[in-house]
Amino acid sequence: MEKLIEQFSYGLFFWQLIILLIVVVLLGKFAWKPIVNALEEREEGISSALAQAEKARLEMSRLVNENDQLLKDARAERDIILKEAKELKDKIVVEAKNQAQIEGAKLIELAKKEINDQKLKALAEVKGQVSTLSLEIARAVLTKEFENQGKQDELVADLLKDVKLN
Amino acid sequence: MSQNMVSLKRTLKYFAVILLSVAPFLSKAEQAHDASAAAPTESEKISAHIDHHLQDDYYFTFFADEEADVKYGFSLPVILIDNGLKVFMASEFDYGKKTVEKDGQFYALSHGKIYKTDAAGTLSYDDHHHITNAKPLDFSITKNVVGLLLTAVILFVLFIGLAKTYKKGANNLPKGAGRALEPLVLFVRDEMAIPNIGLSKYKQFMPYLLSIFFLILVLNLIGLTPLGFNVTGNISVTLCLALFTFFIIQFKANKDYWKHIFWMPGVPVPMKIVLAPIEVLGMFTKPFSLMLRLFANITAGHSVVMGLIAIVYLFKTDLTVGGSVGVSMILTLFIMFIELLVAFLQAFIFTMMSSLFIGMAVQDHHDEDHH
């Protein structure tokens, strides 16, 4: 202990103090602070880069999921649209058929009516013609018959007979 | 990270190899220059020499020829404050053989200390053979101050260089020596500052913790080189470091810290009164232990290394010169590796303990029941 105290020197203590102060202050300003800050900055950079990579990975998987979902949705929608189109087509076809049937029936009805009309018309004409013809024939016959007087009397007698019978 | 550790290890290995390959030769040279008392035995000379090495010095001696009494090295400037500033080179003392006269005041150098004396250079001794002459205020650039300055320069070169690499952006990785230094900076931050002080407050203490860690580390390492520095094995240096930690703790401490010292919560009142002086004592024992631990470890390491090198001289008759050199080399090599570990370990422990004590003083105590 005595030796220790004897070894102690103010001069060396003083220089040590000065040099330590210089080292702490100057190195602190020009070396330690920049170094410590740079190390921290680098570590932050690394951890933020890692976090970003992780985020990107999550985003990627989310996008993939989303794509899958979109694809699935699109498929389902396509199916629905196809189904609807098919239904619509069937409906249109059925409707068209019905319409056609109704229209056809109507036409047939009209045609029938027309035919009937025409038939009646034709019949009436035929009747007219027949009656004209008959009259003419009758006149011709009568004209022929009544060329002699005897015959006329005979006929009148016949006719009168008939009238009596009626 | 692991790559950095590997390159750090490799760097250290090369360093150790270079260090160890030259250490025994140069330290041997240094050992030979204390030829003081008349015809001392070999082991006395060695022990005096080890003592001398552990002390600070006004000379920077690389080699010495003991028989011719010639020393190769250079003297360092002496700066005294004694009725004005007195600056002269230590070579004027001629290794303590001459007294130096400056402005009518005489100075003598004895056992690595400068004393005021008279023209004849008389030194008076007390009963314990201690010199009682007055000492001038001595701010000399001694060997240890040179070591400190060298270390400061090394730190500036290394870390301003490292800081520059980050100027181009935080993702610009350091090259060369910086690759070894960056993991050490991270080590100080992640193993000492953050666990002990806490994430919210560690940052303001980082300049101090990094400074003392690398200062002690580099001082320890240059102490292992054959330049013969023993800076962290000097009590003045470790006292200064410990005082720094002590004052940082006292100035940065929060209310809880003082409350725990003077009025310990959670214990009965009589115990509070008993605990207060113990806690006050604890305030001082913490930095005191820091001071002594570093000093003792480095001093012991240097003593052991020098003692083992001394085997060359002590056993050269028994083992022949080659044998004693071989034994000394193997043992010194072994201890040098341990000292390399100790250099790191002590820098780590000092910084670790400092951050622990700072952490204890600044942390918020949320729970009062843990006492």
Side-chain angles (χ1 to χ4, degrees):
Chain A
M1 193 67 208
E2 199 180 13
K3 223 174 167 185
L4 274 188
I5 294 164
E6 202 185 315
Q7 197 198 40
F8 180 78
S9 134
Y10 295 103
L12 186 55
F13 182 84
F14 167 79
W15 286 112
Q16 165 72 14
L17 190 71
I18 298 289
I19 289 164
L20 185 58
L21 274 174
I22 290 171
V23 165
V24 171
V25 171
L26 285 189
L27 270 188
K29 191 164 187 304
F30 295 111
W32 303 135
K33 280 218 176 93
I35 289 170
V36 169
N37 288 340
L39 290 176
E40 201 163 79
E41 204 180 302
R42 189 198 299 162
E43 271 157 20
E44 268 165 22
I46 288 168
S47 64
S48 82
L50 283 177
Q52 239 154 20
E54 179 67 11
K55 224 168 106 187
R57 204 181 58 80
L58 286 177
E59 182 76 357
M60 197 69 203
S61 68
R62 196 181 63 79
L63 279 178
V64 166
N65 276 346
E66 215 165 71
N67 275 353
D68 283 353
Q69 193 58 41
L70 274 179
L71 212 61
K72 230 176 171 179
D73 287 355
R75 268 199 202 112
E77 203 162 339
R78 188 198 63 184
D79 288 351
I80 289 169
I81 288 170
L82 277 178
K83 210 173 139 201
E84 269 175 7
K86 211 172 160 218
E87 272 168 11
L88 199 64
K89 184 195 78 176
D90 289 351
K91 208 169 133 197
I92 287 170
V93 166
V94 167
E95 244 168 44
K97 240 185 216 165
N98 288 346
Q99 196 78 21
Q101 260 170 355
I102 291 167
E103 209 68 14
K106 248 187 208 163
L107 279 176
I108 288 167
E109 201 68 23
L110 271 178
K112 269 185 185 163
K113 214 173 160 191
E114 185 75 22
I115 289 167
N116 222 21
D117 283 358
Q118 292 295 335
K119 197 177 85 182
L120 287 177
K121 235 182 188 169
L123 275 177
E125 209 166 303
V126 168
K127 265 183 192 165
Q129 220 130 42
V130 166
S131 63
T132 316
L133 268 177
S134 325
L135 280 176
E136 263 173 37
I137 290 167
R139 199 174 57 162
V141 169
L142 282 175
T143 318
K144 205 94 186 235
E145 258 329 280
F146 287 107
E147 274 174 358
N148 66 24
Q149 201 58 48
K151 283 263 185 167
Q152 280 178 18
D153 293 337
E154 207 174 312
L155 186 61
V156 170
D158 273 354
L159 283 169
L160 286 168
K161 245 194 280 186
D162 280 347
V163 169
K164 275 179 186 170
L165 276 169
N166 282 347
Chain B
M1 185 75 193
S2 69
Q3 209 185 347
N4 281 346
M5 284 308 286
V6 168
S7 77
L8 169 67
K9 272 185 194 159
R10 197 175 300 149
T11 313
L12 287 175
K13 261 186 219 159
Y14 287 136
F15 185 59
V17 167
I18 294 164
L19 202 72
L20 291 163
S21 58
V22 290
F25 304 106
L26 285 170
S27 297
K28 183 173 100 184
E30 222 237 297
Q31 187 163 2
H33 84 95
D34 194 40
S36 49
T41 65
E42 196 76 16
S43 62
E44 271 170 6
K45 258 159 79 181
I46 286 162
S47 119
H49 190 82
I50 293 172
D51 274 355
H52 184 89
H53 161 79
L54 295 176
Q55 296 283 321
D56 206 355
D57 203 350
Y58 295 96
Y59 298 92
F60 216 119
T61 313
F62 296 114
F63 305 98
D65 187 341
E66 220 169 304
E67 263 129 64
D69 200 16
V70 181
K71 288 166 189 172
Y72 301 95
F74 50 89
S75 62
L76 297 163
V78 175
I79 301 165
L80 301 176
I81 295 177
D82 184 32
N83 290 327
L85 191 68
K86 295 183 172 102
V87 181
F88 54 95
M89 293 307 282
S91 54
E92 291 185 35
F93 284 118
D94 195 15
Y95 302 98
K97 284 178 213 135
K98 289 180 190 159
T99 54
V100 175
E101 191 253 319
K102 290 283 156 193
D103 308 325
Q105 177 64 57
F106 292 91
Y107 301 103
L109 178 66
S110 175
H111 291 94
K113 295 265 180 201
I114 293 173
Y115 299 93
K116 290 191 200 182
T117 182
D118 53 19
T122 43
L123 293 169
S124 46
Y125 295 91
D126 66 6
D127 301 341
H128 302 284
H129 203 71
H130 289 142
I131 296 167
T132 52
N133 288 38
K135 288 185 213 165
L137 266 180
D138 183 356
F139 292 105
S140 306
I141 308 293
T142 57
K143 197 169 79 174
N144 283 349
V145 177
V146 172
L148 277 170
L149 288 169
L150 179 68
T151 305
V153 169
I154 290 170
L155 288 182
F156 272 91
V157 170
L158 287 179
F159 287 103
I160 294 206
L162 181 61
K164 260 187 203 151
T165 62
Y166 299 120
K167 272 207 181 124
K168 291 175 206 145
N171 291 331
N172 188 27
L173 293 177
K175 292 180 182 64
R179 291 178 74 180
L181 297 173
E182 195 193 277
L184 286 174
V185 174
L186 284 172
F187 179 64
V188 172
R189 193 192 66 177
D190 296 340
E191 303 298 323
M192 304 180 214
I194 291 176
N196 288 320
I197 300 173
L199 210 52
S200 56
K201 286 176 179 164
Y202 83 94
K203 234 176 161 181
Q204 57 174 314
F205 299 106
M206 278 305 279
Y208 174 66
L209 293 175
L210 285 166
S211 296
I212 55 168
F213 179 76
F214 286 105
L215 194 73
I216 294 171
L217 179 61
V218 175
L219 284 173
N220 285 348
L221 289 175
I222 66 165
L224 294 180
T225 63
L227 296 172
F229 289 114
N230 178 31
V231 187
T232 37
N234 191 298
I235 200 77
S236 318
V237 172
T238 59
L239 174 69
C240 182
L241 289 167
L243 275 180
F244 240 81
T245 298
F246 175 76
F247 281 116
I248 283 176
I249 293 168
Q250 310 316 318
F251 287 127
K252 290 284 180 183
N254 57 18
K255 236 170 36 192
D256 279 332
Y257 171 77
W258 295 112
K259 204 175 163 193
H260 274 75
I261 286 176
F262 292 112
W263 206 243
M264 178 72 81
V267 296
V269 174
M271 278 306 283
K272 284 183 204 270
I273 293 161
V274 173
L275 278 174
I278 296 171
E279 289 287 327
V280 170
L281 196 65
M283 277 166 64
F284 298 100
T285 54
K286 282 172 194 165
F288 189 76
S289 71
L290 282 179
M291 171 185 86
L292 271 192
R293 185 184 299 110
L294 180 59
F295 163 78
N297 273 284
I298 301 304
T299 303
H302 280 245
S303 304
V304 169
V305 169
M306 292 195 72
L308 290 174
I309 292 166
I311 287 176
V312 176
Y313 302 97
L314 285 174
F315 295 102
K316 70 181 163 201
T317 46
D318 298 333
L319 296 171
T320 72
V321 174
S324 61
V325 168
V327 170
S328 168
M329 281 280 258
I330 289 164
L331 290 175
T332 312
L333 193 79
F334 173 67
I335 288 296
M336 267 290 181
F337 272 112
I338 290 179
E339 282 308 301
L340 212 55
L341 175 72
V342 168
F344 273 96
L345 202 63
Q346 289 308 316
F348 167 70
I349 289 174
F350 197 101
T351 317
M352 181 77 188
M353 288 301 193
S354 291
S355 58
L356 185 71
F357 297 151
I358 291 170
M360 282 159 73
V362 300
Q363 250 162 24
D364 306 309
H365 295 267
H366 295 299
D367 50 333
E368 293 291 319
D369 304 323
H370 67 281
H371 290 288

